Amino acid sequence: MSRQGFSIIGKALPKIDAMAKCTGETRYADDLHFSRMVYAKLLRSPHPHALIRAIRTERALSLEGVYAVITGRDLPVRYGISPATEDEEALASEKVRFVGDPVAGVAAASETVAEKALGLIDVDYEPLRPVLSVEEALVAEGELRIHSWNRRANIQKAVSFEFGDVEQGFEQADHIFDETFFYEGNTHLPMEQYCAVAFYGPDGKLTLWSSTQTPHYLHRALSKVLGLPMSRIRVIATPVGGGFGGKSEPFSHEICVAKLSMITGRPVKITLTREECFYVHRGRHPVKMRIKTGVKSDGTLQAMHFQSFLDGGGYSSYGLATVYYTGALQTVVYKLPGYKFEGVRVFTNKPPCGPKRGHGTPQPRFAVEVHLDAIAEKLGMDPIELRLKQLVEPNTVTVNGLRITTTGLRECIERLAAKAEWKKKFRQLPYGQGIGFASSAYISGAGLPIYWNDMPHSGVQIKLDRGGGITAFCGSIDIGQGSDSILAYVVAEEFGVDPADVRVVTADTDLTPVDLGSYSSRVTVMTGNAAIQACRKLKDTLLRAAADALEIPADDLEFAEGKVRCRSFRDRAISFVECVQKAEAKFGTLGAMGSYRPPKHPANYRGSGVGPTPAYSYSASIVELRCDADSAEVKVDKVWIAHDCGRAFNPLLVEGQVEGSVYMALGEALMEEQVFRKSGLHKLPSMLDYKSPTALEMPEVETILVETNDPEGPFGAKEAGQGPLLPVIPAVTNALYDAIGVRIHEIPITPDKVLRALEGRLKPVSVPSFEFPPPIRWQPGEGVEVQQKS
Amino acid sequence: MEIASETAKTLLEVLREDLGLTGTKHGCELGECGTCAVLMDGKPVLSCLVLGVEAEGADVATIEGMMQGGQPHPLQRAFADLGAAQCGYCIPGILLVAKALLDSNPHPGRDEIREMLSGNLCRCTGYTKILDAVEMAAKGRGDL
């Protein structure tokens, strides 16, 4: 037995699929091959905004080796990840809304023939003026309206809230700070391109293998668009070669291969090119922000007014949630007595934006933490002191109705500051070198599902084999974060066996109970809790059999070391296998189900569904860097990061998530940008031109894990995959100020911006003037009483 | 091994499509990401930029050949033990490039490892555990 009575939890074990991934055995979607398989390609719009007058496919169809050609007429049903904004077509039928919007699909004997066939499809476009900025989108009329379903201009959603007493907060403030910020969009860039294979068999059943983070939502969308009942569709999510949020909604290529297979009766595969991946996108929204904050002279926050303007691209995608997320979590880190949030997401003629690691949160976190750093300086305070005096407390409800269970942020900050020798270095390093700090919080799984329903968010089924084998079935999909291993660890811990004796079957809608998917950092908490419930049901059955066999009361028995044994006299035991056989003889075939649904959240206002979670993770980071005064290039020397993950199931995996988050944050902070020409073309659609950090740019990272043992988490665990990205970006910005005395209010911080800032030529970010709707007002205590678990 | 293949096919395509050796992955097919790296006569090459016919007579090592006698290479063991493979998609290429490094320089410094792997992009790990794993394999012990 190791620490705190756990045998598996807390150990640095290799992942259960580690060796398969290190030997080339793992089969990703593009590694699948079937006899008679044909290959699909999609024809994409070269225009950012155009009407489709006609599409002629005859020439393509008559090409030797072409099996089928489809257009928007074949797939007229609209879909979209959010049921409130289903505005996508698998193939655009009347209008294209960004360069890369697909208009036709081909299945052919080879990719080469399919490519050739695309060139034989004639599309008659009537180009329209494109809308490429938030400012234009907010006032668009006539032909500049990108969609017709939304009420006004190119506004997808505008929201406004007022929590607590904002007016009074500002009145009582000694100082008011008002600043603007801009966070450029960037993309996920997973190493694996999008890929899907479909087969519609002679039994009238469709199987789709796809590199997807959300097989269940894909299952629903396929059924809706193809007109097939879900019972005739099987979605198998293949191991995902990098997701980061980019593979978490139904995509055109997935629906098109399914349709092409239904037409041809053959397996159909599609693998998108890297260039196509840049256009499919669904990545980080470009966001302009304005923050006005009222503070007391001692640094206490009185009120904040936060505005966000999101450039959403051509379709809604997850945008409804994103706009709320840019406002929801400001209250979870520091106490805010009054908070006003206004946000708007617009359509533009660019690839649609969606969720990327941290979904809607990195942008405001960047702005708020840089803003606070500036406030601390103006008040003559240490920026860490300013934060420490107003951290959100455990077991409280925030001003916007979010329920806090545990928080380890104070411990994170104190240990971090000691490790990095903050007091010795802050404002003490020579010119050109600097140190910066920021902190953050993130959700461990969204409190609500994407489509409204009362069913569980995660289900786990466990089957016991009479040879002692344990199989766990769950709809969750491993995208590299290790969710398959986590499931095996939980089951092994519960039954007192080796994780190697647990087989997991995941992400197959025919075989596994629904799990909503690998997004919102939800899997460990939700599948973990579901798995524990299933295990404990089964253990009750096993214990009854063992109690009879050993003639010891069940509550004096435990599962450990491959046995069921007496707690007091450990040699009085039967093996796990024997116990299973006795139980099967007594009760019949052994299996159990467990499921999990997050607790109700306290707030009850419209829009309160985005932000709640079973538990928030907390992170803090200190970055040390240098900036060359001539080239203005920034080199990060070291990143310290402390993360409250509740409980580290496997410290290796948690560290891996933290280090990966730091890496992705540094890429966003310093180089990555998804930017477009006036023609709507991507400026940098290749892995060479879209700069991301290599092993040479990645600094050493020192990770501190803080464990708070959250009552909502399985064995106390919270999330680790997204939260640690958040504090790093503002910490870089704050460190740069410490180094050279300029505050850059724009991400990424590229050398040209640093030079302009040094020369005093970097203009402040302008935010659009826009009249938001009247606010929804809500006061703490108005909602539902939710009991805290102990 | 002898194989007949279309002359226009890249080594990547010959390996994956003609030989069914899907352990070699691809991320761009333009020579930008390093994912498809294999060893040709012991030297790393990007298989998407090499024609199959150029590999005629050469000794081509892919990830499938890295285990010897059913035993994983020390690099494979170190990568697995340290959690250096998250999604794992870039790992076959990285393992082979790391092998080429250790074959020519058994005890590289961390900066030499960084330099050697700088052509292989990884989006999951931040390279940290990858660098640790190469160091651990170079040291030849499991207690790093």
Side-chain angles (χ1 to χ4, degrees):
Chain A
M1 286 279 181
S2 72
R3 49 204 281 273
Q4 301 178 23
F6 292 120
S7 58
I8 306 294
I9 302 300
K11 276 195 186 162
L13 298 170
K15 288 202 290 186
I16 59 168
D17 54 0
M19 204 40 95
K21 285 183 170 173
C22 294
T23 52
E25 286 305 311
T26 302
R27 308 258 284 167
Y28 301 88
D30 198 33
D31 300 335
L32 301 177
H33 185 267
F34 300 95
S35 57
R36 300 193 310 120
M37 190 163 84
V38 295
Y39 300 85
K41 285 271 176 196
L42 299 179
L43 183 67
R44 294 177 182 276
S45 166
H47 302 287
H49 197 194
L51 296 175
I52 300 171
R53 287 283 170 236
I55 305 184
R56 285 176 295 277
T57 59
E58 299 81 6
R59 291 198 301 143
L61 258 174
S62 61
L63 182 72
E64 171 92 26
V66 170
Y67 289 88
V69 182
I70 53 173
T71 66
R73 277 191 200 165
D74 299 292
L75 293 163
V77 179
R78 284 170 194 262
Y79 66 96
I81 183 69
S82 175
T85 57
E86 293 183 322
D87 58 6
E88 298 187 48
E89 295 170 291
L91 297 167
S93 58
E94 292 168 353
K95 194 179 194 191
V96 288
R97 295 177 174 88
F98 67 96
V99 172
D101 211 354
V103 295
V106 170
S110 68
E111 283 191 311
T112 315
V113 175
E115 190 81 49
K116 201 167 166 191
L118 295 186
L120 298 174
I121 298 172
D122 305 299
V123 187
D124 183 5
Y125 290 107
E126 182 186 323
L128 302 169
R129 275 194 294 147
V131 177
L132 296 168
S133 72
V134 173
E135 286 76 3
E136 295 166 89
L138 286 170
V139 295
E141 283 178 37
E143 75 164 57
L144 296 179
R145 286 285 303 270
I146 294 171
H147 289 274
S148 53
W149 64 266
N150 59 317
R151 262 185 252 154
R152 186 156 64 95
N154 286 331
I155 298 164
Q156 183 210 335
K157 184 78 182 174
V159 299
S160 182
F161 299 99
E162 216 173 299
F163 304 106
D165 204 331
V166 176
E167 214 171 295
Q168 190 190 323
F170 277 115
E171 273 169 22
Q172 290 174 352
D174 297 321
H175 306 274
I176 291 175
F177 297 89
D178 192 343
E179 295 188 299
T180 56
F181 296 87
F182 176 56
Y183 196 112
E184 182 56 276
N186 53 56
T187 201
H188 318 84
L189 201 77
M191 297 311 296
E192 179 202 31
Q193 298 119 305
Y194 294 97
C195 179
V197 186
F199 181 53
Y200 184 75
D203 56 358
K205 287 184 174 154
L206 173 76
T207 305
L208 184 85
W209 293 261
S210 184
S211 175
T212 177
Q213 297 175 239
T214 49
H216 173 64
Y217 295 138
L218 175 57
H219 194 193
R220 285 170 48 88
L222 285 172
S223 170
K224 180 183 173 104
V225 180
L226 299 170
L228 280 176
M230 282 172 80
S231 56
R232 303 268 175 90
I233 301 173
R234 176 182 189 182
V235 175
I236 300 174
T238 48
V240 175
F244 318 113
K247 297 173 180 169
S248 44
E249 57 198 292
F251 285 101
S252 160
H253 65 272
E254 294 168 321
I255 295 165
C256 287
V257 283
K259 185 70 185 179
L260 287 166
S261 184
M262 289 171 76
I263 294 170
T264 60
R266 286 169 174 267
V268 182
K269 182 196 268 190
I270 190 162
T271 308
L272 302 194
T273 65
R274 179 54 63 182
E275 186 179 13
E276 283 180 290
C277 295
F278 279 97
Y279 285 98
V280 171
H281 187 42
R282 317 281 162 149
R284 186 84 71 220
H285 284 71
V287 183
K288 287 187 166 184
M289 294 161 280
R290 178 179 176 187
I291 319 177
K292 196 171 108 183
T293 306
V295 293
K296 286 281 194 199
S297 292
D298 67 356
T300 313
L301 300 173
Q302 296 295 297
M304 180 182 282
H305 179 188
F306 184 91
Q307 290 183 326
S308 60
F309 301 85
L310 288 76
D311 182 346
Y315 294 92
S316 291
S317 178
Y318 274 86
L320 200 55
T322 320
V323 67
Y324 286 112
Y325 269 128
T326 61
L329 303 187
Q330 261 73 294
T331 54
V332 175
V333 187
Y334 314 113
K335 286 176 205 155
L336 262 182
Y339 178 51
K340 181 171 183 176
F341 165 54
E342 293 169 315
V344 59
R345 183 185 192 264
V346 298
F347 296 119
T348 55
N349 293 113
K350 292 184 277 191
C353 297
K356 185 185 171 197
R357 202 171 200 165
H359 193 186
T361 312
Q363 300 97 328
R365 203 70 244 152
F366 154 69
V368 168
E369 294 290 323
V370 174
H371 184 64
L372 290 180
D373 206 67
I375 292 175
E377 169 153 73
K378 298 236 170 75
L379 299 179
M381 289 180 75
D382 181 296
I384 290 186
E385 295 303 321
L386 179 129
R387 279 138 166 132
L388 280 176
K389 70 181 298 174
Q390 46 204 327
L391 297 180
V392 160
E393 305 284 338
N395 299 317
T396 54
V397 174
T398 67
V399 72
N400 58 339
L402 301 175
R403 168 179 168 262
I404 309 297
T405 51
T406 54
T407 162
L409 185 54
R410 185 170 298 278
E411 185 182 340
C412 284
I413 295 175
E414 285 168 355
R415 287 176 62 185
L416 190 69
K419 264 263 175 349
E421 301 184 301
W422 171 262
K423 284 216 182 310
K424 224 198 260 178
K425 293 177 183 167
F426 180 65
R427 298 287 188 265
Q428 310 291 325
L429 295 172
Y431 182 80
Q433 290 179 43
I435 192 163
F437 168 86
S439 48
S440 63
Y442 200 63
I443 55 170
S444 305
L448 293 178
I450 304 273
Y451 67 97
W452 175 249
N453 72 84
D454 284 330
M455 293 176 279
H457 291 216
S458 191
V460 170
Q461 180 179 16
I462 297 186
K463 176 190 84 91
L464 291 183
D465 178 79
R466 56 178 73 164
I470 307 171
T471 310
F473 299 86
C474 179
S476 58
I477 168 66
D478 199 317
I479 62 170
Q481 85 279 46
S483 59
D484 280 0
S485 300
I486 295 290
L487 182 56
Y489 301 152
V490 171
V491 173
E493 182 68 49
E494 283 290 315
F495 287 109
V497 300
D498 193 306
D501 293 324
V502 180
R503 197 174 279 280
V504 297
V505 176
T506 52
D508 180 330
T509 60
D510 262 16
L511 305 180
T512 58
V514 166
D515 175 81
L516 296 180
S518 281
Y519 67 94
S520 82
S521 271
R522 53 177 294 291
V523 187
T524 293
V525 167
M526 302 205 194
T527 65
N529 277 324
I532 288 173
Q533 190 185 73
C535 289
R536 294 195 180 162
K537 283 185 193 168
L538 212 39
K539 280 162 75 176
D540 281 348
T541 309
L542 292 178
L543 283 176
R544 282 178 5 209
D548 283 358
L550 291 165
E551 297 180 335
I552 297 170
D555 53 12
D556 199 20
L557 293 174
E558 64 178 6
F559 290 79
E561 295 170 20
K563 294 180 194 128
V564 183
R565 69 187 183 195
C566 177
R567 286 181 204 272
S568 346
F569 303 97
R570 288 184 171 182
D571 54 339
R572 293 185 63 188
I574 55 171
S575 70
F576 183 70
V577 181
E578 202 184 339
C579 177
V580 167
Q581 291 178 352
K582 288 195 185 301
E584 187 171 338
K586 216 175 168 87
F587 303 110
T589 305
L590 298 170
M593 305 289 253
S595 55
Y596 178 77
R597 197 169 169 231
K600 280 202 163 54
H601 57 275
N604 55 357
Y605 55 90
R606 196 177 154 83
S608 65
V610 175
T613 180
Y616 296 91
S617 76
Y618 285 85
S619 318
S621 180
I622 289 177
V623 168
E624 192 171 334
L625 53 72
R626 62 191 65 214
C627 179
D628 183 288
D630 296 323
S631 70
E633 254 177 299
V634 174
K635 182 180 179 298
V636 177
D637 290 321
K638 175 105 189 206
V639 176
W640 293 266
I641 183 152
H643 180 65
D644 161 21
C645 63
R647 161 101 57 211
F649 267 31
N650 178 338
L652 269 187
L653 300 198
V654 179
E655 281 168 24
Q657 289 303 304
V658 173
E659 290 159 6
S661 295
V662 169
Y663 153 86
M664 198 157 268
L666 292 175
E668 296 196 19
L670 296 170
M671 58 188 90
E672 296 187 32
E673 47 185 341
Q674 172 95 340
V675 283
F676 297 88
R677 298 182 187 283
K678 287 198 178 103
S679 59
L681 278 172
H682 197 300
K683 278 187 184 172
L684 320 153
S686 82
M687 292 175 113
L688 201 60
D689 296 322
Y690 180 92
K691 299 296 180 202
S692 64
T694 71
L696 289 174
E697 284 84 33
M698 184 65 193
E700 294 299 323
V701 177
E702 193 166 332
T703 303
I704 299 165
L705 298 182
V706 170
E707 296 191 315
T708 43
N709 191 17
D710 194 279
E712 295 291 341
F715 305 117
K718 304 195 277 193
E719 76 90 40
Q722 306 191 67
L725 177 140
L726 303 169
V728 179
I729 297 157
V732 166
T733 317
N734 294 339
L736 186 68
Y737 178 75
D738 189 47
I740 58 171
V742 291
R743 285 198 195 276
I744 313 276
H745 283 202
E746 292 181 43
I747 289 297
I749 301 173
T750 46
D752 60 310
K753 287 177 196 155
V754 177
L755 277 180
R756 271 184 282 149
L758 281 169
E759 293 162 6
R761 294 190 293 115
L762 190 65
K763 288 185 201 144
V765 173
S766 70
V767 297
S769 59
F770 176 68
E771 196 172 326
F772 285 92
I776 292 172
R777 288 174 206 276
W778 190 81
Q779 292 294 332
E782 281 179 13
V784 188
E785 189 84 6
V786 179
Q787 294 225 314
Q788 300 280 359
K789 279 192 197 169
S790 57
Chain B
M1 176 189 311
E2 210 168 329
I3 182 161
S5 176
E6 288 170 44
T7 50
K9 276 196 169 180
T10 62
L11 178 57
L12 172 70
E13 289 166 329
V14 173
L15 290 170
R16 287 181 55 86
E17 295 168 13
D18 297 344
L19 294 170
L21 294 170
T22 53
T24 303
K25 308 301 177 200
H26 54 79
C28 66
E29 296 177 69
L30 294 165
E32 296 169 346
C33 68
T35 305
C36 67
V38 298
L39 302 184
M40 222 161 98
D41 295 326
K43 297 251 167 5
V45 295
L46 299 175
S47 63
C48 73
L49 295 186
V50 176
L51 287 175
V53 291
E54 291 180 85
E56 200 174 338
D59 174 16
V60 176
T62 68
I63 188 68
E64 286 90 349
M66 211 162 154
M67 276 177 68
Q68 294 290 323
Q71 290 302 311
H73 188 280
L75 278 165
Q76 291 174 304
R77 173 59 63 198
F79 271 58
D81 286 351
L82 287 190
Q86 286 189 23
C87 86
Y89 197 79
C90 67
I91 293 301
I94 288 180
L95 278 168
L96 290 164
V97 174
K99 179 177 183 297
L101 172 67
L102 297 193
D103 286 348
S104 64
N105 177 5
H107 299 288
R110 199 157 172 103
D111 285 344
E112 286 173 290
I113 304 170
R114 284 181 187 276
E115 183 76 41
M116 187 70 174
L117 294 180
S118 64
N120 291 75
L121 296 180
C122 168
R123 291 290 278 174
C124 292
T125 62
Y127 306 102
T128 309
K129 299 237 180 288
I130 290 174
L131 299 173
D132 291 348
V134 178
E135 281 184 343
M136 178 166 126
K139 284 181 185 156
R141 57 197 176 91
D143 57 352
L144 193 91

